[in-house]
Amino acid sequence: MRQLHRSTRGRAKIKGGITKAMFRYSSHLPSKVAIDRLQTRFHCCGRVNYQEWFYIPWFMNEENTERNKIINHKFIADNVPYSCCSTDELYPCIHHGVMQEGTIYKYNPKKQLTIWQAGCEEKLISEMMSVSWRFNAVMSLIIMAMILQVIAVRYLHTAYRNGLHVGNKITCQAYLLRSTTDTKLPKLSVKRKLFRKRKPRQARTLQWITSYSTTRKLIQSSKSENSSDEMLKPICE
């Protein structure tokens, strides 16, 4: 709905701009230059067709006549500007008295006209649409290239990061969203943590074993001393 509204709005602007410039053709120089360039470039005459110029006093300078003719929308003359002349025809351009037959040049408007017959509105809209489609195509290609670049950078980043984690001992795997190496790495870290937690327990067990062995040695030494004293008693007696 928005696109349709924008297209109709753009058409209305183009229609109003061309019509306004055509009415100001005789009194406003920039409007005259714009209309001449438009008709020469797009090979067109008038907004819809060349007959619109018949009701516009484009070659008159009298303001009163111009206003009365425009308000009443009456036929003024079958004349068109020189920019309506067709470059495809080999005959001389007849842009004054377009609908009148001429004996000098053997001109017959029913058989062949020497001016452009198509209107400028549709040609200008089609040109604008083609430009917009080209712009959208170029932008879509740029977006696709950027997406591919981001994917390639993501693969490179993950491969490099996994290589740093494992110390470059195994073949590193690159990924886009999830990695098998990343799922294994947390287990290794947990094992290391558990091993660190078990170190004080192992130290306690080692202390207990060493203390038990020392006490046992002391008991054995005390027993041996007692036995030697008992053996020496009868000898003294």
Side-chain angles (χ1 to χ4, degrees):
M1 292 296 289
R2 290 182 179 178
Q3 292 180 355
L4 181 62
H5 179 68
R6 288 178 182 176
S7 62
T8 54
R9 190 175 179 181
R11 284 177 177 270
K13 286 184 178 181
I14 292 171
K15 178 181 178 181
I18 295 174
T19 305
K20 185 177 179 181
M22 288 172 67
F23 283 135
R24 299 173 64 184
Y25 188 87
S26 60
S27 59
H28 193 246
L29 183 60
S31 299
K32 180 182 182 302
V33 173
I35 289 295
D36 289 338
R37 286 180 178 177
L38 179 66
Q39 294 182 150
T40 304
R41 179 180 178 183
F42 292 102
H43 296 171
C44 57
C45 186
R47 184 178 62 84
V48 180
N49 53 30
Y50 66 94
Q51 294 180 357
E52 287 185 343
W53 288 110
F54 298 168
Y55 301 91
I56 297 173
W58 58 271
F59 56 91
M60 296 181 182
N61 293 324
E62 292 82 0
E63 295 181 359
N64 295 327
T65 306
E66 183 178 353
R67 289 177 183 176
N68 293 329
K69 296 289 185 181
I70 291 171
I71 292 170
N72 296 326
H73 194 69
K74 292 182 179 180
F75 179 82
I76 297 172
D78 53 349
N79 302 327
V80 296
Y82 182 76
S83 57
C84 290
C85 293
S86 175
T87 56
D88 297 336
E89 300 295 335
L90 299 177
Y91 293 97
C93 180
I94 307 298
H95 63 100
H96 284 278
V98 177
M99 304 307 295
Q100 298 175 9
E101 295 183 2
T103 56
I104 298 174
Y105 298 108
K106 294 182 180 180
Y107 174 71
N108 188 2
K110 295 180 180 179
K111 293 182 179 179
Q112 190 175 12
L113 293 173
T114 58
I115 59 173
W116 304 111
Q117 301 181 26
C120 297
E121 181 180 355
E122 292 298 329
K123 289 196 174 183
L124 184 59
I125 290 171
S126 63
E127 182 69 17
M128 291 177 66
M129 291 295 292
S130 64
V131 170
S132 65
W133 278 108
R134 289 172 188 172
F135 178 77
N136 293 331
V138 171
M139 290 301 295
S140 61
L141 289 175
I142 292 172
I143 291 169
M144 290 175 65
M146 291 177 68
I147 290 170
L148 293 175
Q149 186 178 4
V150 169
I151 291 171
V153 171
R154 176 63 178 169
Y155 276 113
L156 182 62
H157 171 260
T158 52
Y160 182 72
R161 189 178 68 178
N162 292 333
L164 291 177
H165 280 305
V166 298
N168 294 325
K169 294 180 180 179
I170 61 173
T171 303
C172 301
Q173 295 181 359
Y175 65 94
L176 184 62
L177 297 175
R178 191 177 179 182
S179 173
T180 55
T181 55
D182 276 359
T183 56
K184 292 178 180 179
L185 285 173
K187 293 182 180 179
L188 294 172
S189 62
V190 171
K191 286 182 179 179
R192 289 176 182 176
K193 290 180 180 179
L194 292 174
F195 183 72
R196 288 176 182 176
K197 290 181 180 179
R198 288 176 183 175
K199 280 184 178 180
R201 293 182 181 178
Q202 290 179 356
R204 290 178 183 176
T205 52
L206 290 172
Q207 288 178 359
W208 183 77
I209 291 167
T210 52
S211 62
Y212 178 75
S213 60
T214 52
T215 51
R216 190 172 182 182
K217 286 179 180 179
L218 290 171
I219 291 168
Q220 288 179 358
S221 63
S222 62
K223 285 182 179 181
S224 61
E225 289 177 357
N226 293 326
S227 60
S228 61
D229 292 335
E230 289 177 357
M231 291 177 69
L232 289 172
K233 281 180 182 181
I235 296 170
C236 293
E237 291 174 356

